[in-house]
Amino acid sequence: MPVDSGATPVASNRDNEKKARLYSLDALRGFDMFWIMGGGSIFHAISKVSGSPFWEAIDTQLEHPAWNGFHFYDLIFPLFLFMAGVSTPYSVGRELEKGKSRNQLLLRVIKRGLLLVLLGIIYNNGLQLQPVSQIRFCSVLGRIGLAYMFANIIYLYTKGRAQMIWFAGILVVYWLLLKFTAAPGFAPGDLTMEGNFASYIDRCIVPGKLYLGIHDPEGFTSTFPAISTALLGIITGNLLRNSPMLPVRKVGLMAIIGVMFIILAQLWNFDFPINKNLWTSSFVLQVGGISLLLLALFYYVIDIAGYQKWAFFFRVIGMNSILIYISGHFIDWHYTNDSIFKWLGQLIGDPINAIALSITLVFVKWLFLYFMYKKKAFLKV
């Protein structure tokens, strides 16, 4: 098979695969973060300028649905969490092999999880002193931290089959919980924002304010099924790192399971709607299936076939994903972009300048990440 000059297919033998950091995983993480760091804005601008039904359809996919349903943009967060799980056998698993005790690693996992929760609170509210009632404690980083933490605890103290049971068991229990309960005054199984049991529990126990007043998409209760998203990543990471199966067969298995999950999600959707806000069990299967398909594709093209050069752009992003996520709190990217490229927008003129400046915004952020990459400066939590 053709290989890029200088590329090394890390999946060519099992020993290298066990030791190497997957290039494809960094690239896929970068692809995921690309949409958050401004990729979506490029397509929003194209849609607005063109007025084309095609670009409007793309634009719709880059926004979250109001409640039930699924758009491409709903994949961004769970795909990141899935990849955090895939990394576990390569990080925590490697430390176990080096002789670290489970209790030592447990402490590290808990510290990392709680630090992400703290960073999430800071990200939401800055460092301003506010009354507790005005602080939003739930966050994207907080959900990643808690789901990562509990999934890793399960990984530390169970084997592969038990991890699969945990994955499925959490989804079934969460479905039954929301199926046979509801907020006071609503019929059991009510899944509206006002009536569902998960949001009601959050209103009762979560301090501070919820993002939507009566509901928070990163609420405490809906974090439990997110543990299954991270667990699916861990199970996949185990397959990639530890299975004696040929790499191409691993790709096939991931693809088959991915398709099966998507089909099951559509069937479950009739009874338990696909809903990111509630992180429903059908949503977990939907995004899990797509995540498996994407990882299978990236793994085959990059790590097996060895086509790595095209993915360097994404890898630079993926290796500093948390840094670029929180960077907007200490760097005014729009001011920076305007300072460097305002002349370009003026030269091009309305309405195309909106597209050009959206592209340069991503470019400026990427140059910052490339500088950090060259300096080997990576923000790790």
Side-chain angles (χ1 to χ4, degrees):
M1 276 182 255
V3 177
D4 282 354
S5 175
T8 303
V10 298
S12 58
N13 64 73
R14 190 180 170 205
D15 290 337
N16 283 343
E17 192 174 308
K18 285 176 70 69
K19 296 175 183 176
R21 179 187 181 109
L22 286 180
Y23 198 114
S24 58
L25 190 60
D26 287 327
L28 182 55
R29 188 183 295 111
F31 170 79
D32 193 41
M33 292 302 299
F34 165 77
W35 301 99
I36 292 178
M37 66 183 272
S41 298
I42 297 173
F43 290 91
H44 290 318
I46 293 173
S47 173
K48 186 176 180 179
V49 168
S50 70
S52 161
F54 171 79
W55 289 111
E56 287 178 359
I58 298 294
D59 186 53
T60 299
Q61 288 299 313
L62 294 174
E63 296 176 347
H64 296 299
W67 191 244
N68 291 335
F70 179 80
H71 291 168
F72 168 79
Y73 210 61
D74 293 339
L75 175 66
I76 305 303
F77 181 8
L79 176 58
F80 188 92
L81 182 53
F82 168 82
M83 288 185 287
V86 175
S87 299
T88 291
Y90 290 88
S91 54
V92 179
R94 184 171 56 242
E95 293 300 312
L96 282 171
E97 292 170 359
K98 289 180 179 179
K100 288 278 184 73
S101 72
R102 284 178 168 77
N103 289 340
Q104 286 176 307
L105 293 171
L106 173 65
L107 183 61
R108 191 178 83 175
V109 162
I110 292 174
K111 283 182 178 178
R112 186 182 187 196
L114 295 181
L115 179 56
L116 282 167
V117 172
L118 178 60
L119 282 175
I121 296 171
I122 294 172
Y123 180 86
N124 283 346
N125 307 281
L127 295 173
Q128 300 175 354
L129 292 176
Q130 302 178 68
V132 171
S133 62
Q134 296 304 308
I135 297 174
R136 183 185 173 216
F137 288 91
C138 302
S139 68
V140 168
L141 289 176
R143 171 157 295 179
I144 292 172
L146 292 174
Y148 161 88
M149 181 176 73
F150 286 112
N152 273 258
I153 291 171
I154 293 170
Y155 169 77
L156 283 172
Y157 294 100
T158 63
K159 300 297 183 182
R161 182 174 295 181
Q163 291 163 18
M164 295 178 191
I165 293 172
W166 271 100
F167 167 78
I170 290 171
L171 298 185
V172 171
V173 169
Y174 188 63
W175 166 56
L176 293 174
L177 177 67
L178 267 65
K179 177 83 173 173
F180 295 104
T181 59
F186 293 84
D190 190 301
L191 294 177
T192 62
M193 186 183 297
E194 300 84 356
N196 79 84
F197 190 67
S199 299
Y200 169 69
I201 291 296
D202 287 347
R203 292 195 291 270
C204 292
I205 68 172
V206 175
K209 65 179 181 180
L210 303 180
Y211 185 68
L212 297 175
I214 61 171
H215 169 78
D216 199 300
E218 281 76 53
F220 176 77
T221 312
S222 56
T223 295
F224 285 99
I227 297 170
S228 284
T229 299
L231 270 175
L232 179 61
I234 288 174
I235 294 165
T236 305
N238 272 329
L239 170 70
L240 292 175
R241 185 171 188 265
N242 300 318
S243 171
M245 189 183 300
L246 289 173
V248 173
R249 289 182 176 241
K250 295 176 183 179
V251 170
L253 182 59
M254 285 191 288
I256 290 170
I257 295 175
V259 172
M260 288 175 57
F261 275 12
I262 293 171
I263 293 172
L264 287 173
Q266 305 313 306
L267 295 174
W268 210 346
N269 180 55
F270 289 109
D271 183 68
F272 198 24
I274 295 172
N275 184 310
K276 177 187 178 294
N277 277 278
L278 292 174
W279 213 280
T280 54
S281 304
S282 54
F283 174 77
V284 172
L285 293 182
Q286 172 87 351
V287 296
I290 299 173
S291 297
L292 283 166
L293 291 174
L294 282 172
L295 182 57
L297 176 63
F298 274 63
Y299 178 64
Y300 177 79
V301 171
I302 296 172
D303 289 322
I304 296 178
Y307 292 105
Q308 296 184 352
K309 285 186 176 180
W310 71 272
F312 179 73
F313 173 85
F314 292 123
R315 189 171 195 246
V316 168
I317 301 170
M319 292 189 71
N320 246 326
S321 53
I322 292 181
L323 174 62
I324 197 58
Y325 181 76
I326 67 174
S327 64
H329 277 269
F330 54 87
I331 300 175
D332 188 335
W333 287 115
H334 289 281
Y335 175 81
T336 305
N337 186 44
D338 287 344
S339 299
I340 300 173
F341 289 109
K342 188 176 182 179
W343 63 269
L344 179 61
Q346 293 172 340
L347 179 65
I348 295 174
D350 292 333
I352 306 299
N353 60 351
I355 300 173
L357 290 176
S358 296
I359 294 172
T360 57
L361 178 62
V362 173
F363 178 64
V364 167
K365 290 182 180 180
W366 188 86
L367 284 179
F368 166 72
L369 292 176
Y370 179 69
F371 173 79
M372 301 298 286
Y373 175 86
K374 295 298 286 185
K375 294 295 184 181
K376 293 182 169 51
F378 306 110
L379 178 61
K380 298 187 182 297
V381 177

